Tab-separated table of all heavy atoms in Angstrom:
chain	number	residue	atom	x	y	z
A	390	LYS	N	53.729	59.796	131.331
A	390	LYS	CA	54.758	60.614	130.671
A	390	LYS	C	56.010	59.965	130.243
A	390	LYS	O	57.049	59.885	130.806
A	390	LYS	CB	55.203	61.723	131.771
A	390	LYS	CG	54.198	62.649	132.124
A	390	LYS	CD	54.925	63.804	132.972
A	390	LYS	CE	53.997	64.606	133.750
A	390	LYS	NZ	54.690	65.634	134.521
A	391	PRO	N	55.912	59.232	129.032
A	391	PRO	CA	57.110	58.451	128.622
A	391	PRO	C	58.278	59.263	128.349
A	391	PRO	O	59.398	58.721	128.482
A	391	PRO	CB	56.415	57.796	127.312
A	391	PRO	CG	55.381	58.518	126.919
A	391	PRO	CD	54.807	59.131	128.057
A	392	SER	N	58.229	60.481	128.153
A	392	SER	CA	59.375	61.280	127.711
A	392	SER	C	60.196	61.584	129.014
A	392	SER	O	61.457	61.849	128.952
A	392	SER	CB	59.006	62.697	127.229
A	392	SER	OG	58.357	63.404	128.162
A	393	ARG	N	59.757	61.333	130.164
A	393	ARG	CA	60.336	61.453	131.473
A	393	ARG	C	61.030	60.120	132.025
A	393	ARG	O	61.745	60.116	133.070
A	393	ARG	CB	59.530	62.014	132.564
A	393	ARG	CG	58.982	63.283	132.269
A	393	ARG	CD	59.623	64.497	132.862
A	393	ARG	NE	59.636	64.272	134.292
A	393	ARG	CZ	60.607	64.739	135.078
A	393	ARG	NH1	61.614	65.426	134.606
A	393	ARG	NH2	60.710	64.499	136.387
A	394	ARG	N	60.804	59.060	131.470
A	394	ARG	CA	61.175	57.687	131.917
A	394	ARG	C	62.710	57.643	132.120
A	394	ARG	O	63.454	58.039	131.221
A	394	ARG	CB	60.807	56.620	131.045
A	394	ARG	CG	59.414	56.377	130.897
A	394	ARG	CD	58.778	55.739	132.136
A	394	ARG	NE	57.504	55.165	131.871
A	394	ARG	CZ	56.428	55.958	131.671
A	394	ARG	NH1	56.463	57.140	131.830
A	394	ARG	NH2	55.302	55.380	131.447
A	395	LYS	N	63.150	57.097	133.242
A	395	LYS	CA	64.494	56.879	133.648
A	395	LYS	C	64.833	55.409	133.515
A	395	LYS	O	65.924	55.043	133.478
A	395	LYS	CB	64.985	57.373	134.897
A	395	LYS	CG	64.853	58.884	135.040
A	395	LYS	CD	65.498	59.401	136.302
A	395	LYS	CE	65.406	60.982	136.196
A	395	LYS	NZ	66.122	61.575	137.378
A	396	VAL	N	63.806	54.626	133.641
A	396	VAL	CA	63.863	53.080	133.456
A	396	VAL	C	62.776	52.515	132.613
A	396	VAL	O	61.760	53.223	132.494
A	396	VAL	CB	63.775	52.435	134.904
A	396	VAL	CG1	64.946	52.769	135.757
A	396	VAL	CG2	62.517	52.887	135.582
A	397	ASP	N	63.020	51.419	131.988
A	397	ASP	CA	61.929	50.809	131.193
A	397	ASP	C	61.021	50.118	132.055
A	397	ASP	O	61.332	48.978	132.595
A	397	ASP	CB	62.695	49.932	130.215
A	397	ASP	CG	61.663	49.317	129.159
A	397	ASP	OD1	60.751	50.033	128.936
A	397	ASP	OD2	62.066	48.243	128.691
A	398	VAL	N	59.895	50.566	132.280
A	398	VAL	CA	58.938	49.906	133.234
A	398	VAL	C	57.627	49.543	132.293
A	398	VAL	O	57.142	50.333	131.466
A	398	VAL	CB	58.527	50.894	134.390
A	398	VAL	CG1	57.879	52.095	133.904
A	398	VAL	CG2	57.604	50.209	135.331
A	399	LYS	N	57.013	48.424	132.742
A	399	LYS	CA	55.987	47.871	131.828
A	399	LYS	C	54.630	48.452	132.544
A	399	LYS	O	54.436	48.210	133.622
A	399	LYS	CB	55.918	46.480	131.808
A	399	LYS	CG	54.985	45.829	130.936
A	399	LYS	CD	55.156	44.397	130.758
A	399	LYS	CE	54.070	43.814	129.762
A	399	LYS	NZ	54.273	42.395	129.459
A	400	VAL	N	53.833	49.045	131.780
A	400	VAL	CA	52.530	49.570	132.140
A	400	VAL	C	51.512	48.961	131.021
A	400	VAL	O	51.562	49.359	129.950
A	400	VAL	CB	52.430	51.112	132.236
A	400	VAL	CG1	50.992	51.443	132.616
A	400	VAL	CG2	53.468	51.545	133.116
A	401	GLU	N	50.705	47.946	131.484
A	401	GLU	CA	49.798	47.345	130.500
A	401	GLU	C	48.678	48.247	130.169
A	401	GLU	O	48.144	48.150	129.036
A	401	GLU	CB	49.246	46.025	131.128
A	401	GLU	CG	50.289	44.939	131.130
A	401	GLU	CD	51.301	44.978	132.303
A	401	GLU	OE1	51.132	45.863	133.101
A	401	GLU	OE2	52.085	44.215	132.333
A	402	TYR	N	48.077	49.030	131.036
A	402	TYR	CA	46.963	49.779	130.831
A	402	TYR	C	47.185	51.335	131.129
A	402	TYR	O	47.524	51.656	132.250
A	402	TYR	CB	45.732	49.335	131.712
A	402	TYR	CG	45.540	47.851	131.628
A	402	TYR	CD1	45.958	47.006	132.630
A	402	TYR	CD2	44.974	47.257	130.527
A	402	TYR	CE1	45.840	45.672	132.603
A	402	TYR	CE2	44.717	45.917	130.458
A	402	TYR	CZ	45.086	45.077	131.551
A	402	TYR	OH	44.911	43.588	131.411
A	403	ILE	N	47.040	52.086	130.116
A	403	ILE	CA	47.329	53.727	130.167
A	403	ILE	C	46.065	54.392	129.771
A	403	ILE	O	45.632	54.095	128.661
A	403	ILE	CB	48.507	53.923	129.341
A	403	ILE	CG1	49.782	53.225	129.794
A	403	ILE	CG2	48.711	55.527	129.327
A	403	ILE	CD1	50.978	53.462	128.907
A	404	GLY	N	45.623	55.111	130.670
A	404	GLY	CA	44.453	56.088	130.366
A	404	GLY	C	44.796	57.060	129.309
A	404	GLY	O	44.194	57.133	128.235
A	405	PHE	N	45.767	57.823	129.607
A	405	PHE	CA	46.305	58.969	128.655
A	405	PHE	C	47.701	59.011	128.701
A	405	PHE	O	48.351	59.057	129.768
A	405	PHE	CB	45.689	60.325	129.078
A	405	PHE	CG	44.160	60.271	129.162
A	405	PHE	CD1	43.477	60.047	130.258
A	405	PHE	CD2	43.448	60.523	127.978
A	405	PHE	CE1	42.041	60.040	130.371
A	405	PHE	CE2	41.965	60.453	128.013
A	405	PHE	CZ	41.242	60.308	129.198
A	406	THR	N	48.294	59.292	127.534
A	406	THR	CA	49.815	59.595	127.468
A	406	THR	C	49.841	61.168	127.340
A	406	THR	O	49.135	61.711	126.494
A	406	THR	CB	50.450	58.978	126.209
A	406	THR	OG1	50.250	57.548	126.386
A	406	THR	CG2	51.910	59.304	126.181
A	407	ILE	N	50.736	61.708	128.262
A	407	ILE	CA	50.756	63.197	128.275
A	407	ILE	C	52.239	63.609	127.980
A	407	ILE	O	53.146	62.992	128.201
A	407	ILE	CB	50.176	63.878	129.532
A	407	ILE	CG1	50.946	63.339	130.731
A	407	ILE	CG2	48.722	63.427	129.675
A	407	ILE	CD1	50.630	64.073	132.027
A	408	ALA	N	52.265	64.951	127.547
A	408	ALA	CA	53.631	65.611	127.407
A	408	ALA	C	54.127	65.840	128.795
A	408	ALA	O	53.624	65.829	129.853
A	408	ALA	CB	53.381	66.909	126.532
A	409	ASP	N	55.496	66.367	128.798
A	409	ASP	CA	56.154	66.610	129.959
A	409	ASP	C	55.682	67.981	130.568
A	409	ASP	O	56.343	69.086	130.400
A	409	ASP	CB	57.683	66.666	129.764
A	409	ASP	CG	58.547	66.875	130.947
A	409	ASP	OD1	58.005	66.713	132.039
A	409	ASP	OD2	59.823	67.127	130.914
A	410	LYS	N	54.480	67.918	131.052
A	410	LYS	CA	53.943	69.132	131.732
A	410	LYS	C	53.625	68.929	133.244
A	410	LYS	O	53.348	67.614	133.440
A	410	LYS	CB	52.710	69.566	131.072
A	410	LYS	CG	52.857	69.851	129.555
A	410	LYS	CD	53.436	71.100	129.218
A	410	LYS	CE	53.462	71.264	127.792
A	410	LYS	NZ	54.104	72.431	127.331
A	411	PHE	N	53.435	69.854	134.151
A	411	PHE	CA	53.113	69.527	135.382
A	411	PHE	C	51.583	69.669	135.519
A	411	PHE	O	51.075	70.646	135.077
A	411	PHE	CB	53.747	70.578	136.371
A	411	PHE	CG	53.737	70.125	137.744
A	411	PHE	CD1	54.624	69.439	138.341
A	411	PHE	CD2	52.583	70.455	138.629
A	411	PHE	CE1	54.646	69.074	139.756
A	411	PHE	CE2	52.435	69.972	139.852
A	411	PHE	CZ	53.560	69.301	140.472
A	412	VAL	N	50.918	68.594	135.861
A	412	VAL	CA	49.511	68.572	136.017
A	412	VAL	C	48.900	68.369	137.365
A	412	VAL	O	49.678	67.900	138.281
A	412	VAL	CB	48.898	67.322	135.099
A	412	VAL	CG1	49.248	67.513	133.619
A	412	VAL	CG2	49.564	65.965	135.626
A	413	VAL	N	47.737	68.967	137.614
A	413	VAL	CA	47.005	68.979	138.818
A	413	VAL	C	45.546	68.439	138.678
A	413	VAL	O	45.085	68.537	137.519
A	413	VAL	CB	47.070	70.392	139.530
A	413	VAL	CG1	48.447	70.709	139.974
A	413	VAL	CG2	46.400	71.344	138.677
A	414	GLY	N	44.930	68.209	139.678
A	414	GLY	CA	43.470	67.679	139.608
A	414	GLY	C	43.390	66.232	139.933
A	414	GLY	O	44.400	65.494	139.734
A	415	TYR	N	42.179	65.852	140.166
A	415	TYR	CA	41.944	64.433	140.521
A	415	TYR	C	42.853	63.803	141.517
A	415	TYR	O	43.433	62.756	141.323
A	415	TYR	CB	41.860	63.553	139.247
A	415	TYR	CG	40.628	63.637	138.559
A	415	TYR	CD1	40.481	63.985	137.190
A	415	TYR	CD2	39.330	63.237	139.130
A	415	TYR	CE1	39.375	63.982	136.472
A	415	TYR	CE2	38.131	63.316	138.449
A	415	TYR	CZ	38.202	63.737	137.128
A	415	TYR	OH	37.066	63.696	136.360
A	416	GLY	N	43.245	64.571	142.466
A	416	GLY	CA	44.118	64.073	143.579
A	416	GLY	C	45.593	64.473	143.301
A	416	GLY	O	46.469	64.296	144.206
A	417	LEU	N	45.886	64.993	142.133
A	417	LEU	CA	47.414	65.411	141.856
A	417	LEU	C	47.450	66.861	142.313
A	417	LEU	O	46.557	67.681	142.002
A	417	LEU	CB	47.732	65.363	140.438
A	417	LEU	CG	47.650	63.996	139.905
A	417	LEU	CD1	47.624	63.980	138.258
A	417	LEU	CD2	48.673	63.056	140.313
A	418	ASP	N	48.483	67.267	143.100
A	418	ASP	CA	48.455	68.645	143.747
A	418	ASP	C	49.755	69.306	143.354
A	418	ASP	O	50.686	68.721	142.871
A	418	ASP	CB	48.358	68.482	145.264
A	418	ASP	CG	49.491	67.905	145.851
A	418	ASP	OD1	49.766	66.707	145.868
A	418	ASP	OD2	50.322	68.721	146.519
A	419	TYR	N	49.778	70.536	143.627
A	419	TYR	CA	50.993	71.327	143.569
A	419	TYR	C	50.914	72.260	144.959
A	419	TYR	O	49.978	73.071	145.043
A	419	TYR	CB	50.779	72.448	142.240
A	419	TYR	CG	51.965	73.428	142.285
A	419	TYR	CD1	53.177	72.943	141.958
A	419	TYR	CD2	51.727	74.811	142.600
A	419	TYR	CE1	54.240	73.910	141.805
A	419	TYR	CE2	52.697	75.656	142.532
A	419	TYR	CZ	54.025	75.197	142.151
A	419	TYR	OH	54.999	76.104	142.135
A	420	GLY	N	51.874	71.935	145.708
A	420	GLY	CA	51.957	72.620	147.052
A	420	GLY	C	50.686	72.588	147.860
A	420	GLY	O	50.260	73.416	148.528
A	421	GLU	N	50.223	71.318	147.944
A	421	GLU	CA	48.887	70.935	148.528
A	421	GLU	C	47.617	71.677	148.031
A	421	GLU	O	46.715	71.744	148.714
A	421	GLU	CB	49.042	71.275	150.122
A	421	GLU	CG	50.290	70.511	150.760
A	421	GLU	CD	49.982	68.931	150.745
A	421	GLU	OE1	48.893	68.488	150.923
A	421	GLU	OE2	51.005	68.265	150.525
A	422	LYS	N	47.828	72.253	146.848
A	422	LYS	CA	46.681	72.924	146.225
A	422	LYS	C	46.105	72.300	145.017
A	422	LYS	O	47.011	71.532	144.399
A	422	LYS	CB	46.872	74.359	145.998
A	422	LYS	CG	47.242	75.165	147.207
A	422	LYS	CD	47.560	76.614	146.837
A	422	LYS	CE	47.944	77.404	148.198
A	422	LYS	NZ	48.356	78.603	147.859
A	423	TYR	N	44.931	72.441	144.586
A	423	TYR	CA	44.493	71.993	143.333
A	423	TYR	C	44.073	70.500	143.164
A	423	TYR	O	43.564	69.979	142.143
A	423	TYR	CB	45.340	72.280	142.200
A	423	TYR	CG	45.768	73.678	142.097
A	423	TYR	CD1	47.181	74.033	142.354
A	423	TYR	CD2	44.833	74.871	141.941
A	423	TYR	CE1	47.561	75.442	142.270
A	423	TYR	CE2	45.227	76.143	141.913
A	423	TYR	CZ	46.532	76.331	142.179
A	423	TYR	OH	46.991	77.758	142.118
A	424	ARG	N	44.299	69.729	144.263
A	424	ARG	CA	44.026	68.333	144.258
A	424	ARG	C	42.532	68.062	144.070
A	424	ARG	O	42.311	66.934	143.565
A	424	ARG	CB	44.757	67.721	145.647
A	424	ARG	CG	44.002	66.729	146.322
A	424	ARG	CD	44.541	66.229	147.555
A	424	ARG	NE	45.796	66.805	148.021
A	424	ARG	CZ	46.997	66.191	148.131
A	424	ARG	NH1	47.063	64.882	147.705
A	424	ARG	NH2	48.161	66.699	148.398
A	425	ASN	N	41.754	68.918	144.493
A	425	ASN	CA	40.323	68.652	144.499
A	425	ASN	C	39.615	69.054	143.173
A	425	ASN	O	38.345	68.976	143.080
A	425	ASN	CB	39.579	69.308	145.689
A	425	ASN	CG	39.791	70.834	145.587
A	425	ASN	OD1	40.731	71.272	145.097
A	425	ASN	ND2	38.976	71.536	146.301
A	426	LEU	N	40.372	69.541	142.172
A	426	LEU	CA	39.862	69.836	140.909
A	426	LEU	C	39.173	68.630	140.291
A	426	LEU	O	39.724	67.506	140.307
A	426	LEU	CB	40.819	70.466	139.940
A	426	LEU	CG	41.486	71.801	140.257
A	426	LEU	CD1	42.529	71.931	139.330
A	426	LEU	CD2	40.527	72.746	140.390
A	427	PRO	N	37.905	68.868	139.776
A	427	PRO	CA	37.348	67.669	139.063
A	427	PRO	C	37.741	67.412	137.618
A	427	PRO	O	36.956	66.876	136.917
A	427	PRO	CB	35.705	68.180	139.181
A	427	PRO	CG	35.896	69.578	139.100
A	427	PRO	CD	37.101	70.034	139.889
A	428	TYR	N	38.843	67.929	137.388
A	428	TYR	CA	39.497	67.716	136.004
A	428	TYR	C	40.877	67.825	136.113
A	428	TYR	O	41.451	68.264	137.156
A	428	TYR	CB	39.002	68.940	135.035
A	428	TYR	CG	39.130	70.340	135.541
A	428	TYR	CD1	40.300	70.943	135.390
A	428	TYR	CD2	38.103	70.870	136.193
A	428	TYR	CE1	40.599	72.223	135.881
A	428	TYR	CE2	38.247	72.078	136.604
A	428	TYR	CZ	39.386	72.793	136.565
A	428	TYR	OH	39.632	74.134	137.137
A	429	ILE	N	41.701	67.458	134.916
A	429	ILE	CA	43.169	67.591	135.130
A	429	ILE	C	43.543	68.906	134.346
A	429	ILE	O	43.027	69.098	133.227
A	429	ILE	CB	43.785	66.340	134.495
A	429	ILE	CG1	43.489	65.100	135.382
A	429	ILE	CG2	45.247	66.427	134.253
A	429	ILE	CD1	43.830	63.770	134.759
A	430	ALA	N	44.412	69.600	134.949
A	430	ALA	CA	44.814	70.855	134.262
A	430	ALA	C	46.388	70.951	134.332
A	430	ALA	O	47.010	70.323	135.201
A	430	ALA	CB	44.388	72.063	135.140
């Protein structure tokens, strides 16, 4: 999420660049929920 950067940090390999949205799935959670989704939402 480059729009949220507070520091200039180098990332050589990026899967996807996304907008400033809250995402869940594939281990990312919201309140300990949705982490087990087999997709990113």
Side-chain angles (χ1 to χ4, degrees):
K390 287 186 192 178
S392 65
R393 300 258 308 147
R394 293 289 194 284
K395 292 187 177 183
V396 294
D397 185 25
V398 62
K399 188 171 184 179
V400 180
E401 287 81 4
Y402 308 105
I403 298 172
F405 301 94
T406 299
I407 62 173
D409 185 15
K410 306 281 183 181
F411 197 92
V412 293
V413 294
Y415 277 125
L417 301 167
D418 72 283
Y419 176 74
E421 301 296 321
K422 295 179 183 171
Y423 311 113
R424 140 184 356 250
N425 61 336
L426 293 175
Y428 52 85
I429 295 174

